Every structure is written in C-alpha cells, then in structure tokens.
Amino acid sequence: MSLVVRFIEIIDVVGLVDALNASPTRAANLKHKIYYFLSLITDTNDNYRLNDSNDGYHNICSSEIKKVLGSKDFYVIRELLLNPNDPIIEIDNSWHNPNGKNSKGYCQGYRITPKYNTGEVVFKTIPNKFSKVIAKYADKDPLATLSTPDYTFLLDQFEYNTLWLDPRVYDYVYNFGQQLLLRVEDDNPYQIMRIHNIVGRWLYFIEQIENGNIWRKVSDKNHRLNSSITNLPRLLRPFLLFNGEALTCLDVTSSQPYLLSSIMQAKFYNESRVGYNLKTIYPELYRELIDNGSIDTSNTGIGYYSSNTGYTKSFISNLSNSSSFMWCNFFTAPDIDSITNYTQAPFYLDFYTDLLNRYYTYNNIPKRVAQKEDREKLKGTMMFVLFDENKGHRNNNLQIQKFQTVYPGVEKWLNQIHSLIGKKRFSYLLQRAESYLLLNVICREFNEQHPTAPLITIHDGLFTTKDYVRNLNGFVLRRLREITGIIAGCKIKASQIDSKPQIQDVENEWAKIEPINTDEKYLKNINGVFTSNITRGSEFLGNFGRDFLKDIDDQV
C-alpha cells in the first residue's frame, strides 16, 4: 500500500533534483526520498506543539534514516537541503544518542528554516516499492499499544452532525488582535509578527471547521481522541455550535491530581478482570511490571516499615484498596498515611486551595486572605509536580516544595514511578486512565442511554447542549465514584458569546509576546510561527479585516 506524506508546498523539490542532472530513474527516487525526509520534519498549526520542548527540532537518528534513504542518498539529500546559499532546513548543534553509549549512530535535530516554514502543506504519494522500504524500517514506538480503543460512537458525532462557529467569532478575533497591537511599542516588528501569527492561526482553525475539514483520530499512545475541536483554542470554544445550538462544557475539577489518586490504589494494579486497572488500560506496561517483579500479584496488601520491627512482610489489609501500591518497595507508615490522606483530598471542591491551606497550617503561616495568585501558581506547576524527573528542579521549586511538604508519601511514590517507567510512560498511563474513565465508560454508557445527545470531548472536558448537561453531570459524578471509590467534582460552564475579549485573557497572551522584542529572541522562540499565519493575520487585521467583518454583519 502506497504511503501518502505531506511537506511544505513552496519547497521546489523538482528543481532541487533537476539541478543534479541525474538519470530519470535516480531523479524520481531522490524526489520521493526528499518528500519523505521533509515529511518527518514538517510542522503545521495542528501538530507544532509536539516539538515545543525541543525548539521545533525533530530528532532523526542517522543510523535509522540511512536504512530508509540509503547512506549515499542521505548525505546527498542533507547537502541539498542545507545549501548555505538558500537553506531549506537547519540543524541544531548537538548530537545525542538516546540508546546509550554502545548504540550505533546518533540523532540530530532538524527543522524547516523560517523562510520555508509556511505551515501550508501539500500531499505526495510515495511509490509502493519505496513505501515497503519505509514500512520495513519504520521506527516502531515502544510506547504505542498494539490496538486502539474503538470510539466509533464518538467519531460518528463528527460524521452525522454539523459543527460550525457563530459568525461573531470573527469580531472576537479581530478585537483581540487589535487589543494586542495597542500594547506594541515603537512598532516592534517581532511582536507584531507574533500577534499576526496568533490571529492567523486562530483563523486557520476557524476556517478548517467552517469548511468541514474536521480531522479526528484516536491516539495509539495515550488513547485520547484528538480532533480539530481539541486544537481549537479555549478562547474560541464558546462560539462552537452543534447543529446550530451552543454547547455547554463540563470539566472534571483538578482532573490530573484526581486521576493520580485513583491509580495509586493497590487494586488498580492487583485486579486482572476487564475494568479500571493497569492490565486493561496499559497491558504492555502491566506485563513488563509483572515480568520484572515490580508487581507481585501474590500479595493483597502493602508492605510497610516499622521503627520497632524494621522491615516487615506483614500487610495492612484495610489499606489494600485505598492506599498506594508500592512497587514492591517498603514505605514508612507516615508515607502510607500521607498517600491515604491524598486519596481523601477534596477533589470535588478545590484541591489546590485545600493543599495551600494545609501547607500554611503545617508551617504555622497565617492563611492569606488573597490566595488566588498562589493557587494559580500551584495549579500551573502541577504538570511539573507530576512529571519533572529532575531532582534539582523538584527540590528547588517552591510550588513543588509545597506539594512535598503536604504529601511527602505521594512525592516518594512519584519518584519511584519516574525511576521505574519514566515520565513519558507515566504521562501516557494517566492519559489512558482519563480516556478509559471518560470516553470508554462514561461517554459510552451515556451515549447508550441518550443516543441523540450531542457529545464532543476535549480530554477531561465533555461538551453537550443545555438540555443534556445536568443529566451528564450527575452521571459523570456517580460513575467516577463507583469506579474509583473517590469523590470527583465537575464544573459546568455554559457558552457565553461575547465579541469583546476579557482584558485578563488579552494580558495573558500579551505576557507571552512582550519579551519577544529582538531578532535573537524571535528566532529562539520561532516554533509554530508560520509565514502563512502571519500573512493571514496581517490581512485580517488590516483593511481587509474591517471589510470582511462588515460583510459578516450584513449577513447576520
């Protein structure tokens, strides 16, 4: 079966190869190999965030890519694309070998240069013969599962219903962009380009939905359902219409901390029946932990350390279902108490405020009247609490230290799981747990009971119309408690269409743009900046935008 790949439309691959004066057969082979190589490093508005942490560079291992392209052609293609007179790609200055010192070959980061990084792509079909070579040496992701869940009932929501955006979304985008431009001083070109890029990206997302180009896919890694709707910026979601009706969002409160509490229970690892457990959700990881002895299925409780008796093989039966599984390591009784307290935290109210109050109490600090800023800082650091493996960061970040102070046993548990499976697989575990609970169980069962109810998902957020939201809310809370044994909370947020942006939202976006005021800073933070976005945003915020909005108003 032939492979279809995408690459940047303006790159003249034919011209590059024709300049080599190669034979027709070799020229054709080189063109297809260049298409494939460029497809590996092509970013769009839909996927650029995947390499945000690597400044937009895609790591490609030379030993692996040579198997596909051939060693000789790899260097020919690399030289063509790195042409110093008009470079199409650029490389970072560091080589790294993720497979250890004994591995052959190294990996280097590649990305499209700003001149060619338009974000506009075309598709090319790779001949069957070369497609077979690619398939033979394809990098099989060890984190991907052998099969993905069947969420046809959710995917069909896009197939049999009409999704579009209220026309006032254009007024909102225009007003937002103008508010940002008012904050630019001395016509700083870098800040202006960043503003145009944001507006252009928003318009891209809007146009994709309005033109019916809604993509959707279930990830084989984290089992999340991703779509054009999940990519739609939070600020634009209130304008989303489902068959002409506004949607109401239902969010699980403190979803990541809540999910953590649910997978720290011993039963999550001990149970082997189909259900909410590791064997069902992540069978590959379950088998690995069984094989390396990290899960001992013969035990029904949790080992602990006593200051009187030392390490003991006795087990605490009454905690076996409410406390953490300890990876066959012994934790102190205070550690276990800490974990038990965590699973009893008020996730149904405000987990972050409760944690701050406990921290103030433990440290004899008077509770502050104004906690909103502290709460937002703590909430914004939660991903680091969960996934940062760097001990230096963990021990020197004030927000993480607050978490460590209140829940030292949970901190120890997190360090154990980081060492055991790594942060990436741990993140996939939490995301699969989320998908299993919300998509595989709750959405599936709710759909069976209410087959005509609209149901759109954005990870831990469920969207439906006002006629169904109260039923959905009660159903989510009841089923989460029945499945995990832990009380959850939900927030309901009805769509409020307002073409005037909130000042705080504008300020939040401006805070990201304001520091980008020199060429050096602009190029350093260029991931996701596409010339097509800049052009689209610039035209929209200029005279074209005003004329466009007038036409929309006349139609409305």
Side-chain angles (χ1 to χ4, degrees), residues 288-304:
E288 177 185 319
L289 296 179
I290 289 285
D291 291 345
N292 67 23
S294 296
I295 293 180
D296 184 356
T297 55
S298 66
N299 293 331
T300 58
I302 299 170
Y304 72 102

Side-chain angles (χ1 to χ4, degrees), residues 108-132:
Q108 189 164 37
Y110 297 83
R111 69 181 184 187
I112 308 293
T113 56
K115 174 183 175 179
Y116 290 98
N117 201 20
T118 66
E120 298 291 329
V121 299
V122 292
F123 295 88
K124 289 288 182 180
T125 300
I126 302 298
N128 189 52
K129 184 177 180 180
F130 184 38
S131 294
K132 289 180 178 179

Side-chain angles (χ1 to χ4, degrees), residues 426-453:
F426 178 45
S427 69
Y428 286 169
L429 172 58
L430 281 177
Q431 290 161 359
R432 288 188 184 199
E434 169 194 272
S435 297
Y436 183 86
L437 289 171
L438 294 179
L439 306 188
N440 195 60
V441 176
I442 290 172
C443 284
R444 189 184 301 279
E445 292 177 359
F446 190 80
N447 178 256
E448 290 171 355
Q449 296 177 20
H450 305 276
T452 61

Side-chain angles (χ1 to χ4, degrees), residues 459-513:
H459 306 323
D460 62 346
L462 310 180
F463 289 75
T464 189
T465 51
K466 62 180 180 180
D467 294 337
Y468 292 97
V469 70
R470 292 197 178 278
N471 284 339
L472 180 59
N473 181 60
F475 189 75
V476 169
L477 295 177
R478 175 169 63 83
R479 291 299 283 131
L480 284 178
R481 185 171 187 178
E482 289 173 350
I483 297 167
T484 69
I486 301 169
I487 302 174
C490 285
K491 294 180 294 185
I492 296 176
K493 188 174 182 180
S495 295
Q496 295 181 341
I497 296 177
D498 187 353
S499 60
K500 295 181 179 179
Q502 297 292 313
I503 295 299
Q504 189 57 54
D505 292 331
V506 177
E507 290 295 340
N508 290 342
E509 203 63 51
W510 174 246
K512 305 171 192 175
I513 298 169

Side-chain angles (χ1 to χ4, degrees), residues 376-395:
E376 290 307 308
K377 287 181 180 178
L378 179 62
K379 182 179 179 182
T381 312
M382 196 63 203
M383 290 299 102
F384 294 102
V385 172
L386 292 172
F387 305 120
D388 195 337
E389 298 173 305
N390 188 305
K391 294 293 181 64
H393 293 168
R394 297 193 74 85
N395 295 329

